[in-house]
Amino acid sequence: MDPEKAHYRVMSVFKLTTSLPFGKWMVKILYGFENKSLERNLFGLKFKNPIGLAAGFDKDGKWIDLLALLGFGFVEVGTITPIAQEGNVKPRLFRLPKDKALINRMGFNNGGVDELVERLKKVKSDIIIGGNIGKNKNTPNEIAYKDYEICFEKLHPYVHYFVINVSSPNTPGLRELQEKEPLTKLIKGIIAINNSKSIQKPILLKIAPDLNHSQLDDIAQIGLESGIDGLIVSNTTIDRSNLETNKDSVELIGAGGLSGAPVLAKSNNVLSYLVNKTGGKVPIIGVGGILTGNDAIEKIELGANLVQVYSGFVYEGPGMIKSIKKALLSQKVKK
C-alpha cells in the first residue's frame, strides 16, 4: 500500500480499536509502561518519560489522545503553517525497507493553524504537546518571520513548548533561514512575543544534519546567546550515501528528506559537535535514526536530554516505546 495511505489507514483502525469496549484498557495493558525513574524535568516541564514522537507523524493533532495511550512522554504536532496547504504532489512518501528508512517530500501539508487550535482545545490527556511551526510555501523568506509569529500567537495557549522549523528540505528556500542573520531575526521576534505573555513557553530550534562546521558554530552561538531554550537535533537529511537500497531505485524516488536508521550516525555527529561547542549548556532533544533502546541510550550518552522517534516507530511498531523505556531503565542512563 502507498505509505501515506497506509499511515492514515492504520491510525483509523487504531482509533476504531480504542473506541470499542475495553479497547483503551487493552492498549494500555499491551503498551503502557511507566516508571518514576523515567521522569525528566526540562524547560520547566515534567515529562513522564524522555521518549517523544517527532513532528510530522500527527501534523494536525488528530491523534494526540490515542498516541498518549502508547506511552509517549510527549508528542510534537506540526509542522503547522498559518494557512492550510496541500503540500507537494503525491506520491511524496517512500519506504526503503532494506535500510529501515523513509524518504519524504511532504511539503508541510496541513490544515492550517486555526484548525489545529480547535483540535487542541479538545485534547483530554495530560501529555506534553509541542507545537512545530513553519512558513507557507508561497511566503517569501523576507517576510517568513510573520508566518512563524502568527502560528506562535495562535498556538501559545494550547501547547507546552514551541519548535521553530527552518530545516525541512521540502519547502523551497526554507533551509536558507538557518543562516545566522535571518535566523537571529526570526528568533528575536518570537522571543519578544513570548516575553510579552503572562506565561512564557519554551522555544526550541530544529536544525538539519547537513550543516557544515561553520554553520554549526553559528547555531551553537545562537543557542548560547539568543535566549532560545534548546535545540532539536536533527531533521531529515538530503544525503543518500551508504544506503543498501539499489541506487537506481533511490534516484527514481527523487528529492526529499531521508529519515530512519541511515541518519543515526549523521545526526549523532551533529549532536556531539553541538554539545561540545555549547559545553552542554543548551538542552537538546535528540532525533534521527532511533530504532532500538541502544540507539536512544547512545543519543542520551552523547548529551541529549530527551529523544524523539518517527521512522523507527513506523518500522518497529508501538511496542518500540515500551522496549526503549525498559532499555533505559536497565542501563540506568543519566537524567
Side-chain angles (χ1 to χ4, degrees):
M1 185 184 293
D2 172 75
E4 189 172 351
K5 286 182 180 178
H7 176 71
Y8 288 100
R9 185 74 58 85
V10 167
M11 292 309 296
S12 294
V13 172
F14 182 34
K15 185 175 182 179
L16 176 62
T17 300
T18 56
S19 69
L20 297 173
F22 305 109
K24 290 181 181 178
W25 174 83
M26 182 176 67
V27 170
K28 285 184 177 180
I29 291 294
L30 287 172
Y31 304 115
F33 175 80
E34 296 297 344
N35 186 295
K36 281 284 183 181
S37 297
L38 291 170
E39 291 180 356
R40 301 290 187 273
N41 292 292
L42 193 67
F43 314 126
L45 300 170
K46 187 175 182 178
F47 296 79
K48 289 182 179 178
N49 65 74
I51 307 156
L53 181 62
F57 190 95
D58 189 13
K59 291 175 182 287
D60 292 308
K62 293 179 177 179
W63 308 307
I64 294 171
D65 288 331
L66 296 178
L67 294 165
L69 294 173
L70 297 177
F72 285 106
F74 58 111
V75 171
E76 199 169 297
V77 296
T79 297
I80 204 72
T81 56
I83 302 170
Q85 58 183 27
E86 290 293 323
N88 293 323
V89 177
K90 298 177 182 179
R92 55 194 182 183
L93 180 61
F94 308 88
R95 299 188 191 101
L96 279 64
K98 287 183 179 179
D99 292 286
K100 289 199 171 181
L102 301 171
I103 291 176
N104 92 82
R105 51 171 176 269
M106 305 299 287
F108 289 174
N109 57 305
N110 72 100
V113 68
D114 292 327
E115 184 180 287
L116 175 58
V117 164
E118 291 308 308
R119 289 201 181 95
L120 291 174
K121 289 177 181 178
K122 299 172 184 176
V123 172
K124 296 177 181 177
S125 67
D126 61 353
I127 194 167
I128 288 176
I129 303 168
N132 187 302
I133 57 177
K135 79 174 189 74
N136 281 112
K137 182 178 181 179
N138 295 328
T139 302
N141 277 1
E142 293 74 27
I143 56 171
Y145 69 92
K146 293 183 179 180
D147 280 12
Y148 288 88
E149 291 177 359
I150 289 169
C151 292
F152 186 85
E153 285 273 18
K154 292 188 175 184
L155 287 176
H156 193 273
Y158 306 106
V159 299
H160 297 89
Y161 71 88
F162 280 91
V163 179
I164 297 173
N165 186 359
V166 289
S167 52
S168 169
N170 301 317
T171 294
L174 185 76
R175 287 192 169 188
E176 294 171 12
L177 295 175
Q178 291 180 116
E179 296 300 326
K180 189 173 183 179
E181 186 176 342
L183 184 56
T184 301
K185 178 182 178 181
L186 171 58
I187 290 171
K188 282 184 176 179
I190 295 293
I191 289 176
I193 296 172
N194 198 33
N195 289 340
S196 71
K197 306 290 185 182
S198 57
I199 298 176
Q200 284 78 49
K201 300 291 175 76
I203 300 169
L204 286 74
L205 173 67
K206 188 167 187 175
I207 66 167
D210 304 312
L211 300 177
N212 59 41
H213 283 183
S214 175
Q215 291 170 314
L216 289 175
D217 291 344
D218 287 341
I219 295 294
Q221 186 178 357
I222 288 169
L224 289 167
E225 299 176 0
S226 68
I228 62 169
D229 297 279
L231 300 170
I232 296 187
V233 182
S234 63
N235 212 320
T236 58
T237 180
I238 56 174
D239 188 4
R240 298 290 189 267
S241 59
N242 302 317
L243 294 177
E244 294 293 327
T245 304
N246 179 274
K247 186 177 179 181
D248 291 338
S249 299
V250 175
E251 289 180 355
L252 192 61
I253 289 171
L258 175 74
S259 61
V263 187
L264 181 65
K266 195 177 186 74
S267 64
N268 283 356
N269 288 339
V270 175
L271 168 63
S272 179
Y273 188 89
L274 286 170
V275 169
N276 289 331
K277 275 290 176 179
T278 61
K281 294 177 182 177
V282 180
I284 294 177
I285 298 178
V287 56
I290 296 175
L291 278 85
T292 68
N294 286 336
D295 295 336
I297 289 169
E298 185 177 2
K299 285 194 186 291
I300 292 170
E301 289 183 341
L302 285 171
N305 302 85
L306 305 170
V307 296
Q308 288 178 322
V309 299
Y310 186 149
S311 300
F313 179 55
V314 172
Y315 277 100
E316 301 300 316
M320 171 194 190
I321 304 106
K322 187 175 181 178
S323 175
I324 292 175
K325 289 177 186 176
K326 290 190 172 184
L328 293 177
L329 287 173
S330 67
Q331 291 289 323
K332 295 182 180 179
V333 296
K334 64 180 181 179
K335 287 192 177 183

